[in-house]
């Protein structure tokens, strides 16, 4: 339903979905897997500095990726060993049918994400710079370098990819803004979302800060949650009445 209000077009109950990648669309954090298998072990000290809020994710990832020294075959093997949530493909189909846009926002690496989305058969739905926003990884022999084409100006949080800024830029008046995530790289995004699905560290962060959220494990839970939250009111009443009668 589109409503014109004061010359501005707003959408009512036309959700837009923003998803983190590492640990959310994938079952394991693929960035951590790459670093633990291919980087000098001091990457973990840098990770601790980020976890403690001493540095932003941009500085964190730039310093960590400089510690990787490995052949491309090993990089591919590390990526291919991580599985995508088996319910994500069905979730994409579900959202496409409803015409609800999905964006992937990630501090992680576009090279890695595109390879994994291809293995899940949904790569056509996600294009860098239009529906996929992540750090750009250049693979140059044994060395990797990073750049940040989608957040060229560093944000106040020091993000590699500023999810909060991208949500504000991309939601286009659609509501509710749905965010699905799992980690500390999502903590600024939840501040600008209306409906939050969270697991692991993000769930703990939401609970510790009194931020309302729905716990989830797989995208089937997200799909079921959205279906029951966003069903039109008359249909919801009918369903409730049917439940009361049964
Ligand atoms: Mg994550
Ligand atoms: Zn930011």
């Amino acid at each position: 339903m589109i409503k014109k209000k004061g010359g501005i077009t707003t959408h009512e109950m036309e959700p837009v979905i923003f998803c983190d990648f590492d640990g959310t669309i994938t079952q394991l954090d693929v960035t951590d897997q790459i670093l633990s298998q291919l980087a000098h072990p001091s990457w973990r000290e840098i990770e601790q500095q980020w976890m403690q809020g001493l540095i932003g994710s941009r500085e964190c990832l730039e310093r960590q990726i400089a510690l990787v020294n490995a052949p491309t075959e090993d990089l591919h093997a590390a990526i291919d060993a991580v599985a995508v949530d088996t319910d994500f493909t069905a979730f994409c189909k579900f959202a496409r049918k409803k015409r609800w846009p999905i964006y992937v926002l990630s501090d992680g690496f576009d090279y890695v994400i595109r390879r994994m989305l291809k293995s899940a058969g949904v790569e056509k739905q996600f294009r860098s710079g239009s529906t996929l926003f992540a750090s750009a990884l250049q693979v140059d022999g044994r060395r990797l370098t990073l750049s940040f084409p989608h957040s060229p100006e560093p944000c106040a949080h020091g993000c590699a990819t500023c999810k909060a800024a991208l949500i504000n830029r991309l939601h286009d008046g659609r509501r509710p803004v749905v965010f699905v995530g799992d980690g500390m790289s999502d903590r600024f995004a939840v501040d600008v979302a209306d409906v939050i699905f969270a697991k692991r560290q993000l769930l703990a962060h939401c609970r510790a800060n009194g931020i309302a959220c729905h716990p989830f494990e797989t995208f089937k839970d997200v799909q079921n949650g959205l279906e029951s939250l966003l069903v039109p009111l008359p249909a919801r009443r009918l369903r409730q009445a049917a439940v009361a009668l049964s």
Side-chain angles (χ1 to χ4, degrees):
M1 191 190 301
I2 297 173
K3 204 172 152 189
K4 288 240 178 191
K5 205 176 169 188
I8 301 165
T9 303
T10 57
H11 303 259
E12 281 189 351
M13 292 307 274
E14 290 208 341
V16 52
I17 302 157
F18 295 94
C19 299
D20 166 54
F21 186 77
D22 278 296
T24 298
I25 293 173
T26 61
Q27 288 164 355
L28 282 175
D29 189 310
V30 65
T31 305
D32 285 357
Q33 292 300 307
I34 290 168
L35 293 170
S36 61
Q37 291 170 38
L38 309 176
H40 185 275
S42 58
W43 76 271
R44 290 186 190 279
E45 291 159 28
I46 304 168
E47 188 80 359
Q48 279 311 310
Q49 292 175 20
W50 171 66
M51 292 291 282
Q52 290 163 16
L54 301 172
I55 57 171
S57 60
R58 179 171 298 211
E59 181 183 338
C60 176
L61 286 166
E62 271 178 331
R63 287 169 56 194
Q64 287 175 324
I65 215 71
L67 299 172
V68 174
N69 181 354
T72 309
E73 306 89 87
D74 290 5
L75 173 67
H76 288 172
I79 299 167
D80 296 344
V82 178
V84 169
D85 178 338
T86 50
D87 295 324
F88 184 65
T89 308
F91 180 76
C92 289
K93 217 177 270 174
F94 157 81
R96 202 165 52 222
K97 222 166 148 188
K98 297 259 189 196
R99 297 176 182 275
W100 296 349
I102 308 180
Y103 294 91
V104 172
L105 309 180
S106 175
D107 271 350
F109 315 132
D110 59 355
Y111 181 95
V112 174
I113 295 170
R114 280 189 283 112
R115 187 176 173 95
M116 296 193 74
L117 291 176
K118 194 169 180 186
S119 77
V122 292
E123 79 279 13
K124 287 202 181 94
Q125 209 168 326
F126 298 99
R127 300 213 177 269
S128 286
S130 87
T131 44
L132 163 63
F133 297 84
S135 307
L137 184 72
Q138 201 89 39
V139 180
D140 183 15
R142 300 177 66 90
R143 289 289 177 185
L144 305 177
T145 46
L146 269 188
S147 58
F148 309 100
H150 309 302
S151 300
E153 295 300 321
C155 68
H157 327 111
C159 302
T161 298
C162 189
K163 297 180 189 187
L166 281 165
I167 291 171
N168 285 335
R169 194 174 100 202
L170 296 167
H171 75 73
D172 193 29
R174 297 181 75 102
R175 292 287 173 188
V177 168
V178 178
F179 185 82
V180 189
D182 79 313
M184 293 309 281
S185 74
D186 304 316
R187 66 191 183 280
F188 307 118
V190 296
D191 293 340
V192 295
D194 304 312
V195 174
I196 299 157
F197 290 88
K199 62 178 164 180
R200 290 194 278 266
Q201 290 161 328
L202 184 65
L203 181 60
H205 168 82
C206 288
R207 285 181 170 158
N209 291 281
I211 300 166
C213 70
H214 305 274
F216 81 102
E217 279 305 320
T218 74
F219 272 87
K220 184 73 192 154
D221 304 326
V222 178
Q223 185 173 328
N224 291 343
L226 287 177
E227 274 187 311
S228 59
L229 283 170
L230 302 178
V231 66
L233 266 179
R236 193 186 301 173
R237 285 206 193 99
L238 278 176
R239 197 177 292 175
Q240 281 164 352
V243 169
L245 285 171
S246 65

